[in-house]
Short mmCIF file of all heavy atoms in Angstrom, two decimals:
data_model
loop_
_atom_site.label_atom_id
_atom_site.label_comp_id
_atom_site.label_asym_id
_atom_site.label_seq_id
_atom_site.Cartn_x
_atom_site.Cartn_y
_atom_site.Cartn_z
N MET A 1 43.85 14.40 -41.03
CA MET A 1 42.65 14.75 -40.26
C MET A 1 43.13 15.26 -38.93
O MET A 1 44.00 14.70 -38.27
CB MET A 1 41.74 13.50 -40.10
CG MET A 1 40.58 13.74 -39.15
SD MET A 1 39.59 12.32 -38.82
CE MET A 1 38.79 12.00 -40.38
N LEU A 2 42.46 16.25 -38.38
CA LEU A 2 42.80 16.77 -37.08
C LEU A 2 42.18 15.90 -36.02
O LEU A 2 41.11 15.30 -36.22
CB LEU A 2 42.28 18.18 -36.89
CG LEU A 2 42.89 19.29 -37.86
CD1 LEU A 2 42.17 20.60 -37.70
CD2 LEU A 2 44.33 19.43 -37.58
N LEU A 3 42.85 15.84 -34.89
CA LEU A 3 42.40 14.99 -33.83
C LEU A 3 40.99 15.35 -33.32
O LEU A 3 40.17 14.45 -33.18
CB LEU A 3 43.40 15.03 -32.65
CG LEU A 3 43.00 14.14 -31.43
CD1 LEU A 3 43.02 12.71 -31.85
CD2 LEU A 3 44.05 14.37 -30.36
N ASN A 4 40.74 16.62 -33.23
CA ASN A 4 39.38 16.99 -32.70
C ASN A 4 38.25 16.72 -33.65
O ASN A 4 37.10 16.76 -33.28
CB ASN A 4 39.39 18.48 -32.35
CG ASN A 4 39.63 19.40 -33.48
OD1 ASN A 4 39.91 19.02 -34.60
ND2 ASN A 4 39.47 20.71 -33.22
N GLU A 5 38.58 16.38 -34.94
CA GLU A 5 37.55 15.96 -35.94
C GLU A 5 37.02 14.60 -35.67
O GLU A 5 36.03 14.15 -36.29
CB GLU A 5 38.06 16.10 -37.37
CG GLU A 5 38.29 17.56 -37.72
CD GLU A 5 38.81 17.68 -39.16
OE1 GLU A 5 38.85 16.74 -39.93
OE2 GLU A 5 39.21 18.79 -39.49
N SER A 6 37.61 13.83 -34.81
CA SER A 6 37.25 12.52 -34.49
C SER A 6 36.26 12.37 -33.38
O SER A 6 35.82 11.34 -33.02
CB SER A 6 38.48 11.60 -34.16
OG SER A 6 39.32 11.51 -35.28
N TRP A 7 35.97 13.55 -32.74
CA TRP A 7 35.16 13.60 -31.56
C TRP A 7 34.05 14.58 -31.70
O TRP A 7 34.27 15.63 -32.35
CB TRP A 7 35.95 13.90 -30.29
CG TRP A 7 37.05 12.90 -30.04
CD1 TRP A 7 38.26 12.90 -30.62
CD2 TRP A 7 36.99 11.73 -29.21
NE1 TRP A 7 38.99 11.80 -30.16
CE2 TRP A 7 38.18 11.09 -29.31
CE3 TRP A 7 35.95 11.17 -28.41
CZ2 TRP A 7 38.51 9.90 -28.61
CZ3 TRP A 7 36.26 10.06 -27.72
CH2 TRP A 7 37.47 9.41 -27.82
N CYS A 8 32.88 14.31 -31.14
CA CYS A 8 31.77 15.22 -31.17
C CYS A 8 30.87 15.06 -29.95
O CYS A 8 30.99 13.99 -29.31
CB CYS A 8 30.91 15.15 -32.43
SG CYS A 8 29.93 13.62 -32.53
N THR A 9 30.07 15.98 -29.60
CA THR A 9 29.17 15.86 -28.53
C THR A 9 28.06 14.80 -28.91
O THR A 9 27.82 14.61 -30.14
CB THR A 9 28.55 17.15 -28.11
OG1 THR A 9 27.61 17.56 -29.12
CG2 THR A 9 29.53 18.21 -27.75
N VAL A 10 27.38 14.28 -27.93
CA VAL A 10 26.22 13.40 -28.22
C VAL A 10 25.24 14.09 -29.04
O VAL A 10 24.68 13.54 -30.04
CB VAL A 10 25.66 12.77 -26.90
CG1 VAL A 10 24.40 11.97 -27.18
CG2 VAL A 10 26.73 11.93 -26.17
N GLN A 11 24.90 15.34 -28.70
CA GLN A 11 23.88 16.07 -29.37
C GLN A 11 24.26 16.33 -30.83
O GLN A 11 23.46 16.26 -31.75
CB GLN A 11 23.58 17.43 -28.69
CG GLN A 11 22.34 18.13 -29.32
CD GLN A 11 21.09 17.24 -29.22
OE1 GLN A 11 20.73 16.69 -28.13
NE2 GLN A 11 20.41 17.10 -30.32
N GLU A 12 25.58 16.60 -31.13
CA GLU A 12 26.01 16.75 -32.46
C GLU A 12 25.84 15.50 -33.28
O GLU A 12 25.49 15.55 -34.41
CB GLU A 12 27.46 17.24 -32.47
CG GLU A 12 27.72 18.63 -32.04
CD GLU A 12 29.20 18.97 -31.82
OE1 GLU A 12 30.04 18.04 -31.58
OE2 GLU A 12 29.48 20.17 -31.81
N ALA A 13 26.08 14.38 -32.63
CA ALA A 13 25.94 13.03 -33.30
C ALA A 13 24.45 12.80 -33.56
O ALA A 13 24.11 12.31 -34.67
CB ALA A 13 26.46 11.91 -32.47
N VAL A 14 23.59 13.11 -32.65
CA VAL A 14 22.11 12.99 -32.85
C VAL A 14 21.72 13.79 -34.06
O VAL A 14 21.00 13.32 -34.98
CB VAL A 14 21.37 13.44 -31.60
CG1 VAL A 14 19.87 13.53 -31.94
CG2 VAL A 14 21.55 12.40 -30.49
N ASN A 15 22.15 15.06 -34.12
CA ASN A 15 21.82 15.95 -35.25
C ASN A 15 22.35 15.47 -36.57
O ASN A 15 21.70 15.51 -37.59
CB ASN A 15 22.24 17.39 -34.93
CG ASN A 15 21.59 18.02 -33.73
OD1 ASN A 15 20.54 17.53 -33.32
ND2 ASN A 15 22.18 19.04 -33.20
N LYS A 16 23.65 15.03 -36.54
CA LYS A 16 24.31 14.68 -37.78
C LYS A 16 23.79 13.27 -38.35
O LYS A 16 23.57 13.13 -39.54
CB LYS A 16 25.77 14.63 -37.63
CG LYS A 16 26.58 14.29 -38.89
CD LYS A 16 28.05 14.34 -38.62
CE LYS A 16 28.75 14.04 -39.94
NZ LYS A 16 30.29 14.15 -39.82
N TYR A 17 23.63 12.29 -37.49
CA TYR A 17 23.35 10.95 -37.90
C TYR A 17 21.84 10.57 -37.73
O TYR A 17 21.47 9.49 -38.26
CB TYR A 17 24.25 9.96 -37.16
CG TYR A 17 25.70 10.14 -37.52
CD1 TYR A 17 26.50 10.95 -36.63
CD2 TYR A 17 26.26 9.56 -38.61
CE1 TYR A 17 27.84 11.10 -36.97
CE2 TYR A 17 27.59 9.78 -38.88
CZ TYR A 17 28.40 10.51 -38.11
OH TYR A 17 29.71 10.68 -38.42
N GLY A 18 21.13 11.37 -37.02
CA GLY A 18 19.71 11.01 -36.80
C GLY A 18 19.43 9.82 -35.94
O GLY A 18 18.40 9.21 -36.00
N ILE A 19 20.39 9.44 -35.09
CA ILE A 19 20.28 8.34 -34.17
C ILE A 19 19.81 8.83 -32.84
O ILE A 19 20.23 9.86 -32.34
CB ILE A 19 21.68 7.72 -34.00
CG1 ILE A 19 22.19 7.19 -35.32
CG2 ILE A 19 21.60 6.55 -33.01
CD1 ILE A 19 23.62 6.76 -35.32
N ASP A 20 18.91 8.14 -32.28
CA ASP A 20 18.35 8.56 -30.97
C ASP A 20 19.40 8.53 -29.92
O ASP A 20 20.27 7.67 -29.84
CB ASP A 20 17.23 7.58 -30.51
CG ASP A 20 16.40 8.05 -29.34
OD1 ASP A 20 15.57 8.91 -29.57
OD2 ASP A 20 16.72 7.59 -28.26
N LYS A 21 19.38 9.59 -29.04
CA LYS A 21 20.38 9.77 -28.06
C LYS A 21 20.47 8.53 -27.11
O LYS A 21 21.55 8.15 -26.71
CB LYS A 21 20.03 11.04 -27.14
CG LYS A 21 20.98 11.36 -26.09
CD LYS A 21 20.64 12.59 -25.40
CE LYS A 21 21.57 12.96 -24.31
NZ LYS A 21 21.27 14.28 -23.64
N SER A 22 19.34 7.95 -26.81
CA SER A 22 19.35 6.74 -25.91
C SER A 22 20.11 5.60 -26.51
O SER A 22 20.74 4.84 -25.80
CB SER A 22 17.93 6.35 -25.53
OG SER A 22 17.23 5.93 -26.69
N ILE A 23 20.06 5.46 -27.82
CA ILE A 23 20.83 4.38 -28.47
C ILE A 23 22.33 4.71 -28.41
O ILE A 23 23.12 3.76 -28.06
CB ILE A 23 20.36 4.24 -29.94
CG1 ILE A 23 18.90 3.73 -30.00
CG2 ILE A 23 21.32 3.27 -30.71
CD1 ILE A 23 18.31 3.74 -31.40
N ILE A 24 22.71 5.92 -28.66
CA ILE A 24 24.11 6.29 -28.54
C ILE A 24 24.66 6.01 -27.14
O ILE A 24 25.68 5.37 -26.97
CB ILE A 24 24.35 7.72 -29.02
CG1 ILE A 24 23.97 7.87 -30.44
CG2 ILE A 24 25.77 8.17 -28.66
CD1 ILE A 24 24.02 9.36 -30.96
N LEU A 25 23.88 6.49 -26.12
CA LEU A 25 24.28 6.24 -24.78
C LEU A 25 24.32 4.82 -24.40
O LEU A 25 25.15 4.37 -23.58
CB LEU A 25 23.42 7.05 -23.81
CG LEU A 25 23.58 8.57 -24.00
CD1 LEU A 25 22.62 9.32 -23.09
CD2 LEU A 25 25.01 9.02 -23.76
N GLU A 26 23.50 4.00 -24.96
CA GLU A 26 23.49 2.49 -24.71
C GLU A 26 24.75 1.93 -25.29
O GLU A 26 25.38 1.10 -24.59
CB GLU A 26 22.26 1.87 -25.39
CG GLU A 26 22.17 0.37 -25.11
CD GLU A 26 20.94 -0.25 -25.80
OE1 GLU A 26 19.86 0.44 -25.82
OE2 GLU A 26 21.07 -1.37 -26.25
N TRP A 27 25.18 2.36 -26.46
CA TRP A 27 26.40 1.88 -27.03
C TRP A 27 27.59 2.34 -26.24
O TRP A 27 28.55 1.60 -26.07
CB TRP A 27 26.53 2.34 -28.47
CG TRP A 27 25.59 1.68 -29.47
CD1 TRP A 27 24.94 0.50 -29.28
CD2 TRP A 27 25.20 2.16 -30.73
NE1 TRP A 27 24.19 0.18 -30.36
CE2 TRP A 27 24.32 1.19 -31.28
CE3 TRP A 27 25.54 3.31 -31.53
CZ2 TRP A 27 23.74 1.33 -32.60
CZ3 TRP A 27 24.98 3.39 -32.76
CH2 TRP A 27 24.08 2.42 -33.31
N VAL A 28 27.50 3.53 -25.62
CA VAL A 28 28.56 4.00 -24.79
C VAL A 28 28.63 3.08 -23.55
O VAL A 28 29.73 2.64 -23.19
CB VAL A 28 28.29 5.45 -24.31
CG1 VAL A 28 29.15 5.89 -23.18
CG2 VAL A 28 28.51 6.40 -25.53
N ASP A 29 27.51 2.75 -22.96
CA ASP A 29 27.43 1.97 -21.71
C ASP A 29 27.95 0.54 -22.01
O ASP A 29 28.53 -0.12 -21.19
CB ASP A 29 26.06 1.81 -21.21
CG ASP A 29 25.55 3.08 -20.51
OD1 ASP A 29 26.40 3.92 -20.16
OD2 ASP A 29 24.32 3.22 -20.37
N GLU A 30 27.79 0.09 -23.29
CA GLU A 30 28.24 -1.25 -23.65
C GLU A 30 29.72 -1.31 -24.00
O GLU A 30 30.28 -2.33 -24.28
CB GLU A 30 27.43 -1.83 -24.80
CG GLU A 30 25.96 -2.14 -24.40
CD GLU A 30 25.10 -2.51 -25.61
OE1 GLU A 30 25.64 -2.60 -26.78
OE2 GLU A 30 23.89 -2.75 -25.43
N GLY A 31 30.29 -0.13 -24.08
CA GLY A 31 31.74 -0.01 -24.39
C GLY A 31 32.03 -0.05 -25.90
O GLY A 31 33.16 -0.20 -26.31
N ILE A 32 30.99 0.10 -26.70
CA ILE A 32 31.11 0.08 -28.15
C ILE A 32 31.73 1.40 -28.69
O ILE A 32 32.47 1.44 -29.65
CB ILE A 32 29.75 -0.17 -28.83
CG1 ILE A 32 29.27 -1.55 -28.43
CG2 ILE A 32 29.87 0.01 -30.39
CD1 ILE A 32 27.88 -1.91 -28.84
N ILE A 33 31.30 2.53 -28.04
CA ILE A 33 31.79 3.85 -28.42
C ILE A 33 32.70 4.40 -27.32
O ILE A 33 32.29 4.45 -26.11
CB ILE A 33 30.62 4.80 -28.66
CG1 ILE A 33 29.74 4.23 -29.83
CG2 ILE A 33 31.16 6.19 -28.98
CD1 ILE A 33 28.56 5.04 -30.06
N ARG A 34 33.91 4.79 -27.64
CA ARG A 34 34.79 5.44 -26.68
C ARG A 34 34.22 6.90 -26.42
O ARG A 34 33.59 7.49 -27.28
CB ARG A 34 36.17 5.58 -27.21
CG ARG A 34 36.92 4.20 -27.29
CD ARG A 34 38.22 4.30 -28.00
NE ARG A 34 37.99 4.50 -29.41
CZ ARG A 34 38.83 4.81 -30.36
NH1 ARG A 34 40.08 5.04 -29.97
NH2 ARG A 34 38.55 4.97 -31.61
N THR A 35 34.60 7.41 -25.24
CA THR A 35 34.17 8.69 -24.84
C THR A 35 35.23 9.44 -24.14
O THR A 35 36.20 8.94 -23.76
CB THR A 35 33.00 8.60 -23.78
OG1 THR A 35 33.46 7.99 -22.60
CG2 THR A 35 31.78 7.88 -24.31
N GLU A 36 34.99 10.81 -24.09
CA GLU A 36 35.86 11.67 -23.28
C GLU A 36 34.86 12.21 -22.23
O GLU A 36 33.74 12.59 -22.63
CB GLU A 36 36.37 12.84 -24.17
CG GLU A 36 37.46 12.41 -25.15
CD GLU A 36 38.05 13.58 -25.85
OE1 GLU A 36 37.45 14.65 -25.88
OE2 GLU A 36 39.06 13.35 -26.46
N GLU A 37 35.28 12.19 -21.04
CA GLU A 37 34.33 12.59 -19.93
C GLU A 37 34.81 13.89 -19.23
O GLU A 37 36.01 14.13 -19.21
CB GLU A 37 34.17 11.52 -18.90
CG GLU A 37 33.47 10.29 -19.45
CD GLU A 37 33.17 9.21 -18.42
OE1 GLU A 37 33.47 9.45 -17.19
OE2 GLU A 37 32.68 8.15 -18.79
N GLU A 38 33.92 14.66 -18.78
CA GLU A 38 34.15 15.79 -18.00
C GLU A 38 33.27 15.78 -16.81
O GLU A 38 32.00 15.69 -16.97
CB GLU A 38 33.98 17.14 -18.79
CG GLU A 38 35.02 17.27 -19.90
CD GLU A 38 34.73 18.55 -20.77
OE1 GLU A 38 33.79 19.29 -20.47
OE2 GLU A 38 35.54 18.72 -21.75
N ASN A 39 33.84 15.91 -15.56
CA ASN A 39 33.03 15.89 -14.35
C ASN A 39 32.16 14.66 -14.25
O ASN A 39 31.04 14.66 -13.80
CB ASN A 39 32.17 17.15 -14.26
CG ASN A 39 32.99 18.40 -14.21
OD1 ASN A 39 34.01 18.44 -13.59
ND2 ASN A 39 32.55 19.46 -14.86
N GLY A 40 32.71 13.50 -14.74
CA GLY A 40 32.01 12.24 -14.65
C GLY A 40 30.87 12.06 -15.60
O GLY A 40 30.13 11.05 -15.52
N LYS A 41 30.72 12.91 -16.60
CA LYS A 41 29.67 12.77 -17.61
C LYS A 41 30.30 12.78 -19.01
O LYS A 41 31.39 13.31 -19.27
CB LYS A 41 28.73 13.98 -17.51
CG LYS A 41 27.97 13.99 -16.22
CD LYS A 41 26.93 15.17 -16.21
CE LYS A 41 26.14 15.13 -14.91
NZ LYS A 41 25.15 16.16 -14.92
N VAL A 42 29.58 12.11 -19.92
CA VAL A 42 30.05 12.01 -21.33
C VAL A 42 30.11 13.45 -21.96
O VAL A 42 29.08 14.09 -22.02
CB VAL A 42 29.19 11.06 -22.14
CG1 VAL A 42 29.58 11.14 -23.58
CG2 VAL A 42 29.17 9.67 -21.59
N ALA A 43 31.27 13.88 -22.34
CA ALA A 43 31.39 15.20 -22.97
C ALA A 43 31.51 15.05 -24.48
O ALA A 43 30.83 15.80 -25.19
CB ALA A 43 32.67 15.87 -22.47
N ARG A 44 32.18 14.01 -24.98
CA ARG A 44 32.32 13.74 -26.39
C ARG A 44 32.39 12.28 -26.64
O ARG A 44 32.84 11.47 -25.80
CB ARG A 44 33.58 14.46 -26.95
CG ARG A 44 33.47 15.92 -26.97
CD ARG A 44 34.82 16.59 -27.18
NE ARG A 44 35.76 16.49 -26.08
CZ ARG A 44 35.65 17.13 -24.90
NH1 ARG A 44 34.67 18.02 -24.77
NH2 ARG A 44 36.51 17.00 -23.97
N ILE A 45 31.98 11.91 -27.89
CA ILE A 45 32.06 10.52 -28.26
C ILE A 45 32.92 10.45 -29.56
O ILE A 45 33.06 11.41 -30.25
CB ILE A 45 30.68 9.85 -28.59
CG1 ILE A 45 29.93 10.63 -29.71
CG2 ILE A 45 29.79 9.85 -27.30
CD1 ILE A 45 28.68 9.95 -30.15
N ASN A 46 33.47 9.25 -29.74
CA ASN A 46 34.33 9.05 -30.93
C ASN A 46 33.46 8.79 -32.15
O ASN A 46 32.67 7.83 -32.16
CB ASN A 46 35.30 7.87 -30.66
CG ASN A 46 36.23 7.70 -31.82
OD1 ASN A 46 35.99 7.07 -32.84
ND2 ASN A 46 37.45 8.26 -31.62
N ILE A 47 33.65 9.60 -33.19
CA ILE A 47 32.82 9.48 -34.44
C ILE A 47 33.15 8.21 -35.14
O ILE A 47 32.24 7.59 -35.70
CB ILE A 47 33.05 10.70 -35.27
CG1 ILE A 47 32.54 11.96 -34.62
CG2 ILE A 47 32.37 10.50 -36.59
CD1 ILE A 47 32.99 13.24 -35.39
N ASP A 48 34.37 7.83 -35.17
CA ASP A 48 34.74 6.59 -35.89
C ASP A 48 34.04 5.37 -35.26
O ASP A 48 33.58 4.51 -35.98
CB ASP A 48 36.23 6.38 -35.94
CG ASP A 48 36.96 7.46 -36.71
OD1 ASP A 48 36.41 8.00 -37.63
OD2 ASP A 48 38.13 7.78 -36.26
N ASP A 49 34.01 5.31 -33.94
CA ASP A 49 33.36 4.23 -33.23
C ASP A 49 31.83 4.20 -33.57
O ASP A 49 31.24 3.22 -33.81
CB ASP A 49 33.53 4.34 -31.73
CG ASP A 49 34.97 4.12 -31.30
OD1 ASP A 49 35.77 3.65 -32.08
OD2 ASP A 49 35.25 4.34 -30.14
N LEU A 50 31.28 5.41 -33.53
CA LEU A 50 29.83 5.56 -33.84
C LEU A 50 29.54 5.10 -35.29
O LEU A 50 28.57 4.31 -35.49
CB LEU A 50 29.39 7.03 -33.68
CG LEU A 50 27.94 7.27 -34.05
CD1 LEU A 50 26.98 6.60 -33.16
CD2 LEU A 50 27.64 8.82 -34.03
N GLU A 51 30.28 5.46 -36.21
CA GLU A 51 30.09 5.02 -37.63
C GLU A 51 30.19 3.54 -37.76
O GLU A 51 29.41 2.92 -38.47
CB GLU A 51 31.02 5.77 -38.54
CG GLU A 51 30.68 7.28 -38.65
CD GLU A 51 31.65 8.02 -39.53
OE1 GLU A 51 32.64 7.46 -39.98
OE2 GLU A 51 31.31 9.21 -39.81
N LEU A 52 31.18 2.95 -37.03
CA LEU A 52 31.34 1.47 -37.14
C LEU A 52 30.11 0.78 -36.44
O LEU A 52 29.66 -0.23 -36.99
CB LEU A 52 32.62 1.05 -36.34
CG LEU A 52 33.94 1.36 -37.14
CD1 LEU A 52 35.13 1.06 -36.24
CD2 LEU A 52 34.02 0.49 -38.38
N ALA A 53 29.64 1.33 -35.40
CA ALA A 53 28.51 0.79 -34.70
C ALA A 53 27.26 0.82 -35.62
O ALA A 53 26.49 -0.12 -35.77
CB ALA A 53 28.15 1.45 -33.40
N VAL A 54 27.06 1.97 -36.30
CA VAL A 54 25.94 2.14 -37.19
C VAL A 54 26.05 1.08 -38.31
O VAL A 54 25.09 0.45 -38.66
CB VAL A 54 25.88 3.56 -37.75
CG1 VAL A 54 24.90 3.64 -38.94
CG2 VAL A 54 25.51 4.54 -36.62
N GLN A 55 27.24 0.93 -38.87
CA GLN A 55 27.39 -0.02 -39.96
C GLN A 55 27.12 -1.44 -39.47
O GLN A 55 26.46 -2.15 -40.19
CB GLN A 55 28.84 -0.02 -40.52
CG GLN A 55 29.17 1.26 -41.32
CD GLN A 55 30.63 1.36 -41.64
OE1 GLN A 55 31.41 0.49 -41.41
NE2 GLN A 55 30.98 2.43 -42.28
N GLU A 56 27.56 -1.81 -38.29
CA GLU A 56 27.37 -3.12 -37.74
C GLU A 56 25.86 -3.38 -37.51
O GLU A 56 25.38 -4.48 -37.86
CB GLU A 56 28.15 -3.28 -36.45
CG GLU A 56 27.99 -4.69 -35.84
CD GLU A 56 28.81 -4.89 -34.60
OE1 GLU A 56 29.87 -4.22 -34.42
OE2 GLU A 56 28.32 -5.60 -33.71
N TYR A 57 25.20 -2.49 -36.95
CA TYR A 57 23.83 -2.66 -36.58
C TYR A 57 22.81 -2.49 -37.71
O TYR A 57 21.66 -2.99 -37.67
CB TYR A 57 23.40 -1.85 -35.38
CG TYR A 57 24.08 -2.33 -34.10
CD1 TYR A 57 25.21 -1.77 -33.62
CD2 TYR A 57 23.50 -3.39 -33.40
CE1 TYR A 57 25.84 -2.22 -32.52
CE2 TYR A 57 24.11 -3.87 -32.25
CZ TYR A 57 25.27 -3.26 -31.79
OH TYR A 57 25.92 -3.77 -30.72
N THR A 58 23.23 -1.80 -38.81
CA THR A 58 22.32 -1.54 -39.91
C THR A 58 22.69 -2.40 -41.15
O THR A 58 21.85 -2.46 -42.06
CB THR A 58 22.23 -0.06 -40.31
OG1 THR A 58 23.59 0.34 -40.77
CG2 THR A 58 21.76 0.78 -39.11
N GLY A 59 23.94 -2.84 -41.18
CA GLY A 59 24.34 -3.56 -42.32
C GLY A 59 24.70 -2.66 -43.51
O GLY A 59 24.87 -3.10 -44.68
N VAL A 60 24.74 -1.37 -43.32
CA VAL A 60 25.07 -0.37 -44.37
C VAL A 60 26.53 -0.18 -44.38
O VAL A 60 27.18 -0.03 -43.48
CB VAL A 60 24.35 0.92 -44.09
CG1 VAL A 60 24.63 1.94 -45.16
CG2 VAL A 60 22.79 0.73 -44.10
#
């Protein structure tokens, strides 16, 4: 797997997983999802962290 395949923008995650942006950003604030930042703002989130968070919170 290429390194860049492990990261996506918040909007890409919303579109792909159907999770509300506010929930994703809440998980970011809680430190559940790692991020890459640009100019002090979230530029990309780690997909693996997001998938683990979804599994934990949904039991799927």
Side-chain angles (χ1 to χ4, degrees):
M1 176 185 288
L2 296 175
L3 181 61
N4 64 352
E5 291 179 10
S6 295
W7 299 85
C8 69
T9 65
V10 173
Q11 191 57 52
E12 289 170 337
V14 168
N15 294 342
K16 182 175 181 177
Y17 296 96
I19 300 169
D20 191 78
K21 182 177 180 177
S22 64
I23 293 172
I24 294 172
L25 293 176
E26 182 179 325
W27 288 342
V28 166
D29 288 341
E30 292 175 3
I32 296 169
I33 299 176
R34 290 173 286 168
T35 63
E36 291 181 345
E37 296 186 3
E38 292 177 0
N39 299 321
K41 295 185 179 184
V42 174
R44 287 168 293 285
I45 61 171
N46 185 277
I47 295 171
D48 296 330
D49 292 349
L50 176 63
E51 290 177 352
L52 287 172
V54 168
Q55 289 174 4
E56 182 178 327
Y57 288 98
T58 63
V60 176

